[in-house]
Amino acid sequence: MKTLVLGGIRSGKSVVAERTVMLARSGEPITYIAAGPSVDDADWAQRISAHRARRPADWRTIETIDLAAAISELEGPAIIDCIGTWLTAQLDALQAWELERAQWEPRVDATLIALTGALTAARHDIVIVSNEVGLSLVPEHRSGRIFADWLGWTNQRIADACDVVMLVVSGQVLRVKG
């Protein structure tokens, strides 16, 4: 079973995803895939610390932006948190904020195809966390538009590869698919 959990910042999506993967685990150890860039920022470090403290001690943690490879190597259920930070790392690595779209978009698309292919082929339950960006204004700045556009497209493609899609609003779950 593949499940996508969408929500805004501080909506409770990570907690919902953690509960969902624990229900699916059937005694197997859970792998937590932290899919964001390394950031040297005290506030970010505090957020990561809060996530770590909430997870059970027996969960295995992998920090990577190569999600396709991490998924293909899974030996049990997993949670991926968060597609928004993963996408930011992809766009940063390709210098998307400064370059013309034609210079980086095909590479982001290829990475996304690899990710959705790995999800489809995975034999284990996977719960994926992502930010929902479709409920806001179009961002004023180019970098915001690039991020919002690509996260929206990424979420759509991941949702297509998932059996269940949930939207979390104020800690409340709305089942969108499955």
Side-chain angles (χ1 to χ4, degrees):
M1 177 90 68
K2 312 307 182 302
T3 304
L4 175 60
V5 180
L6 298 164
I9 296 168
R10 296 288 190 228
S11 64
K13 63 189 175 292
S14 292
V15 171
V16 168
E18 290 163 6
R19 274 188 259 155
T20 301
V21 79
M22 288 183 71
L23 290 173
R25 83 189 217 167
S26 58
E28 297 175 282
I30 295 173
T31 300
Y32 182 96
I33 303 172
S38 298
V39 179
D40 189 20
D41 175 278
D43 183 55
W44 189 250
Q46 188 174 20
R47 284 175 179 259
I48 290 171
S49 179
H51 276 250
R52 284 182 180 147
R54 196 173 59 228
R55 292 194 295 262
D58 66 335
W59 285 21
R60 180 176 152 229
T61 300
I62 298 172
E63 295 181 5
T64 184
I65 59 168
D66 189 352
L67 292 182
I71 291 168
S72 67
E73 295 169 5
L74 286 174
E75 297 176 4
I79 182 170
I80 299 170
D81 196 355
C82 165
I83 295 300
T85 55
W86 170 81
L87 179 63
T88 299
Q90 300 299 318
L91 296 171
D92 282 348
L94 295 170
Q95 301 176 343
W97 318 117
E98 295 88 27
L99 299 176
E100 293 298 318
R101 286 182 179 255
Q103 294 176 281
W104 55 267
E105 275 190 326
R107 291 172 58 197
V108 174
D109 194 50
T111 303
L112 182 54
I113 289 168
L115 169 58
T116 55
L119 275 174
T120 301
R123 303 178 328 264
H124 304 286
D125 292 326
I126 302 174
V127 179
I128 305 113
V129 178
S130 189
N131 298 298
E132 175 52 57
V133 292
L135 303 173
S136 185
L137 300 172
V138 175
E140 177 182 357
H141 300 284
R142 180 176 188 263
S143 59
R145 288 189 301 273
I146 288 170
F147 178 77
D149 288 349
W150 271 93
L151 188 56
W153 295 326
T154 298
N155 286 344
Q156 289 177 50
R157 289 162 81 175
I158 291 173
D160 284 344
C162 285
D163 306 294
V164 175
V165 177
M166 295 186 267
L167 176 63
V168 181
V169 179
S170 301
Q172 305 304 303
V173 178
L174 173 64
R175 202 170 180 114
V176 178
K177 176 183 176 182

